Amino acid sequence: MKKYMKEMKLFWNDHQVAGYRLPISYCLLLAVPFLFFSCSLKKEKLPILGQREMNGNDTVYHTVAPFRFVDQDSAIVTNATFNNKIYVTDFFFTSCRTICPVMKSQMLRVYEATKNMPDVLLLSHTIDPEYDTVALLHDFADRLGVESKRWHFVTGAKDSIYKIAQTSYFAVAMEDKTEPDGFIHSGAFMLIDKHGRIRGKYDGTKEEEVNRLIGDIKILRQE
Amino acid sequence: MNCLQWVVASGLLMCCCTSKDMKFQQYFAQGQNLYETHCSNCHQKNGQGLGRLYPPLAGSDYLKNNFEASICLMKYGTSGEISVKGIQFNKPMPGVPSLTELELAEILTYITNAWGEEHEMITLEQTSQALKNCTPP
């Protein structure tokens, strides 16, 4: 809306400079359909985030690098687990007392909202794999009351988790002993499409942002 | 704020004529701030907790029956299995060691009155008495 106001103003100023004195109602008349158009345009397709390269005439988009982790049922989770699936991913740790519990209650909303969507999965990585063992993650998921088929909580080598966070998902995750919980990490949720491309980034600690994510999942499923 | 909280809050506002009520008001409001800073991440804004991970505070029988122990665990943290409203919980809770006797009284005044139940204001005397008997883990 703000952007639209700015455009309106520019439009108005341009015309004043040009010597016209367009009545405001005329501007509105022009702007209203434009607004509708731009909204519907935006709703049709989600952006593809990250760097892109040209390969001949084809655009090559940033995709999630190969990974291999273990989930709460000791099952191996790789890119193949998400073959032909849309997934939402984040980084957390079970003993965290700051933003993670909020992220988990928000991710639980995504879990509930996608209950009847067999092509949508959730993937939460622990950034404290030394403490968050498979058994602990199992207990955590169980207490949260979620199915491991739909929501994988994974652990693995610390370096590979931090690396995939930073290079594949553009998320912040690192150890920092000066932080209250011992880690710095972002509360971001990332939306990944069926081709491993990043289609959205949301603040997983904010209800409105998570509402937007839930809306975007529906848009992405139309592709 | 949910509807009930509005009703409670506005109800409280209307009858704050004696100084005791004023003090209650003050504790309640401060308690809400402190709760939302230190506790609501886990126990949630509505005090309902989260699954079997974080126990509810709203209507908690544990809090009622283990009042002094609850004051201790807020400051020093706790671990081990406990039962709240018939459900078993077993995750460590980190305490908030910086909480003062006054702040504990404020938080307790808030959590025992915020979600549809009514309780007397929790006083400084009560929290300082309880803290004397804590065995910090």
Side-chain angles (χ1 to χ4, degrees), chain B residues 18-78:
Chain B
T18 71
S19 70
K20 189 166 167 261
D21 289 330
M22 287 279 278
K23 203 164 167 191
F24 179 100
Q25 267 284 301
Q26 213 179 357
Y27 272 47
F28 186 89
Q30 264 310 106
Q32 177 165 19
N33 283 339
L34 291 162
Y35 179 78
E36 288 178 2
T37 311
H38 298 294
C39 324
S40 70
N41 276 354
C42 294
H43 294 285
Q44 309 294 307
K45 273 201 176 149
N46 58 10
Q48 294 298 327
L50 189 64
R52 287 183 294 121
L53 269 178
Y54 308 119
L57 300 181
S60 164
D61 53 344
Y62 181 91
L63 179 60
K64 271 196 205 83
N65 301 332
N66 305 273
F67 198 70
E68 299 218 323
S70 295
I71 296 172
C72 297
L73 70 82
M74 288 163 60
K75 192 169 167 81
Y76 299 112
T78 188

Side-chain angles (χ1 to χ4, degrees), chain A residues 94 97-99 101-102 105 108 131 136 139-140 142-144, chain B residues 41-42 44 50-54 88-92 94-95:
Chain A
T94 65
R97 60 188 115 164
T98 51
I99 57 175
V102 184
S105 68
L108 200 58
Y131 182 80
L136 222 119
D139 181 60
F140 189 86
D142 190 45
R143 289 181 180 279
L144 202 56
Chain B
N41 276 354
C42 294
Q44 309 294 307
L50 189 64
R52 287 183 294 121
L53 269 178
Y54 308 119
Q88 304 299 318
F89 293 87
N90 190 359
K91 277 263 156 217

Side-chain angles (χ1 to χ4, degrees), chain A residues 12-215:
Chain A
W12 182 239
N13 289 346
D14 277 358
H15 283 74
Q16 277 196 324
V17 171
Y20 296 114
R21 276 215 154 257
L22 286 177
I24 213 119
S25 59
Y26 176 57
C27 294
L28 276 175
L29 217 67
L30 271 176
V32 164
F34 172 73
L35 185 70
F36 271 104
F37 181 66
S38 59
C39 282
S40 59
L41 205 71
K42 205 178 124 216
K43 280 278 173 293
E44 251 164 23
K45 211 160 186 242
L46 301 178
I48 298 171
L49 307 183
Q51 283 218 330
R52 55 192 63 183
E53 280 162 30
M54 290 305 286
N55 184 0
N57 282 334
D58 292 331
T59 313
V60 182
Y61 293 100
H62 170 89
T63 55
V64 174
F67 60 83
R68 187 184 165 88
F69 298 120
V70 184
D71 79 1
Q72 71 266 41
D73 288 349
S74 300
I76 305 289
V77 170
T78 67
N79 310 64
T81 312
F82 303 97
N83 241 346
N84 230 359
K85 305 273 186 202
I86 290 169
Y87 67 99
V88 181
T89 188
D90 71 348
F91 293 83
F92 88 115
F93 54 110
T94 65
S95 59
C96 150
R97 60 188 115 164
T98 51
I99 57 175
C100 320
V102 184
M103 289 165 70
K104 286 294 150 284
S105 68
Q106 290 300 324
M107 194 61 107
L108 200 58
R109 290 182 54 226
V110 180
Y111 179 85
E112 295 297 333
T114 56
K115 218 172 208 150
N116 299 318
M117 304 178 188
D119 56 334
V120 181
L121 299 178
L122 309 182
L123 170 63
S124 291
H125 307 74
T126 176
I127 55 169
D128 186 10
E130 278 150 25
Y131 182 80
D132 288 337
T133 56
V134 167
L136 222 119
L137 292 175
H138 185 89
D139 181 60
F140 189 86
D142 190 45
R143 289 181 180 279
L144 202 56
V146 301
E147 272 185 283
S148 39
K149 271 203 321 253
R150 289 221 296 124
W151 189 346
H152 298 277
F153 289 86
V154 297
T155 181
K158 201 179 204 166
D159 292 347
S160 13
I161 296 172
Y162 288 10
K163 193 165 167 217
I164 200 140
Q166 277 149 27
T167 59
S168 281
Y169 297 116
F170 312 122
V172 186
M174 61 182 98
E175 235 170 328
D176 184 343
K177 295 281 178 246
T178 62
E179 285 289 301
D181 281 325
F183 296 91
I184 305 182
H185 65 130
S186 72
F189 290 174
M190 275 70 62
L191 176 61
I192 317 300
D193 72 12
K194 293 181 178 174
H195 308 287
R197 301 176 303 191
I198 302 174
R199 304 302 294 272
K201 196 172 171 181
Y202 314 83
D203 184 340
T205 64
K206 299 215 166 72
E207 193 173 330
E208 322 82 71
E209 285 270 299
V210 175
N211 290 344
R212 185 163 69 84
L213 164 62
I214 292 169

